[in-house]
């Protein structure tokens, strides 16, 4: 049934299934990358592609990220999704172009990309404070931690169906990868990510220190911030805790929570405590 109002027309379109636009949300994501300056910042640190009207590799990288968000799991799928959006975003990069882009990302390029992300985040976070609700401060254990930036470190298992580069047997009896990442819980942003082979250790101190260092570098004005770092049982190592303690300065306050798997010795020690403790 059709109505004369715009809302009625929307209902009619939804009912018939015609006139719908798939993946329309990709426009918002791409627009966000453009408006915040991320696409432009990446353009400055990545070389331009060759050919007339060929998009810069910073734009291609943003396109690839959008394709991954839409569900692409390989470069062929990414190419198909980008071709589907060519009418909105312009000519799409081929899977071979995407492959060359990723192959050229050595440590030096990744460092330049990290600097570009940090630059954009310094621009975006002050804008978040101007929202009606202000910056998204979190509540932990019933207490609102106003002024605190919360960083979560955690590893995850990504399975692989074939013998991809770096795929190994994991501690969970699967086959794939074991990356370690850090996220800002306030904004749900990924701050840092370390790609690791599937058999990488869960308690590897060097990996935790590297990811934490890269994550703190992404936080605007981290040298004078209040930061809470949360790690699960994989962070229960003396070296990581000692490092977290050393991050406190006269200008910066760092607190942390670290998980611990209770064993028999812990149970026995707890049992010795009086009931009134």
């Amino acid at each position: 049934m059709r109505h004369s109002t715009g809302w009625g027309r929307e209902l009619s379109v939804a009912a018939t299934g015609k006139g719908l636009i798939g993946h329309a949300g990709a426009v918002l994501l791409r627009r966000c990358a453009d408006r915040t300056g991320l696409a432009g910042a990446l353009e400055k640190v990545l070389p331009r592609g060759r050919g007339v009207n060929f998009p810069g590799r910073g734009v291609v990288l943003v396109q690839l990220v959008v394709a991954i968000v839409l569900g692409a799991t390989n470069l062929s799928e990414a190419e198909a999704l980008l071709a589907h959006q060519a009418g909105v975003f312009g000519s799409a990069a081929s899977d071979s172009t995407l492959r060359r882009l990723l192959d050229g990302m050595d440590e030096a390029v990744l460092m330049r990309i990290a600097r570009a992300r940090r630059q954009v985040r310094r621009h975006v976070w002050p804008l978040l404070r101007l929202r009606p609700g202000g910056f998204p401060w979190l509540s932990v254990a019933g207490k609102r931690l106003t002024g605190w930036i919360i960083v979560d470190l955690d590893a995850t298992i990504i399975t692989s169906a074939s013998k991809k580069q770096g795929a190994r047997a994991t501690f969970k009896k699967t086959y794939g990868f074991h990356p370690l990442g850090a996220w800002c819980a306030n904004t749900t942003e990924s701050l840092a990510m370390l790609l690791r082979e599937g058999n990488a250790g869960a308690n590897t101190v060097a990996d935790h220190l590297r990811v934490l260092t890269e994550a703190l570098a992404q936080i605007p004005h981290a040298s004078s911030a209040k930061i809470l770092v949360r790690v699960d049982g994989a962070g229960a190592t003396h070296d990581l805790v000692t490092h977290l303690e050393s991050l406190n300065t006269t200008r910066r306050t760092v607190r942390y929570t670290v998980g611990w798997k209770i064993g028999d010795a812990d149970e026995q020690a707890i049992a010795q405590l009086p009931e009134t403790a």
Side-chain angles (χ1 to χ4, degrees), residues 66-221:
V66 172
I68 292 174
V69 171
L70 294 179
T73 59
N74 56 60
L75 297 181
S76 296
E77 293 177 357
E79 180 185 15
L81 283 170
L82 294 177
H84 175 69
Q85 302 163 1
V88 180
F89 300 133
S91 59
S94 65
D95 58 350
S96 58
T97 298
L98 297 172
R99 188 180 306 278
R100 287 195 298 270
L101 171 67
L102 297 179
D103 285 342
M105 288 189 179
D106 55 16
E107 285 296 326
V109 172
L110 292 176
M111 289 179 63
R112 292 200 297 269
I113 292 176
R115 287 196 295 268
R117 293 173 57 231
R118 181 169 64 246
Q119 172 188 343
V120 173
R121 188 167 286 110
R122 287 179 176 175
H123 168 67
V124 172
W125 277 27
L127 298 179
L128 293 178
R129 300 177 188 275
L130 301 178
R131 303 183 316 148
F135 192 84
W137 308 118
L138 297 187
S139 295
V140 177
K143 182 179 180 180
R144 187 170 178 81
L145 299 184
T146 301
W148 286 82
I149 303 299
I150 301 175
V151 178
D152 291 330
L153 269 68
D154 200 3
T156 186
I157 294 295
I158 299 178
T159 58
S160 175
S162 59
K163 293 184 178 181
K164 302 292 185 182
Q165 179 181 357
R168 300 287 188 274
T170 72
F171 73 97
K172 288 192 174 183
K173 312 301 182 183
T174 59
Y175 185 81
F177 311 93
H178 192 195
L180 177 65
W183 292 263
C184 175
N186 304 75
T187 61
T188 69
E189 294 172 89
S190 174
L191 298 175
M193 181 69 66
L194 177 61
L195 303 181
R196 305 193 301 171
E197 297 180 344
N199 58 357
N203 296 87
T204 306
V205 175
D207 293 348
H208 278 83
L209 295 181
R210 175 177 174 178
V211 172
L212 176 60
T213 300
E214 293 179 358
L216 293 179
Q218 288 293 322
I219 297 176
H221 310 295

Side-chain angles (χ1 to χ4, degrees), residues 8-25:
R9 285 194 295 273
E10 290 178 8
L11 289 177
S12 176
V13 168
T16 61
K18 297 180 179 179
L20 299 178
I21 302 175
H23 302 148

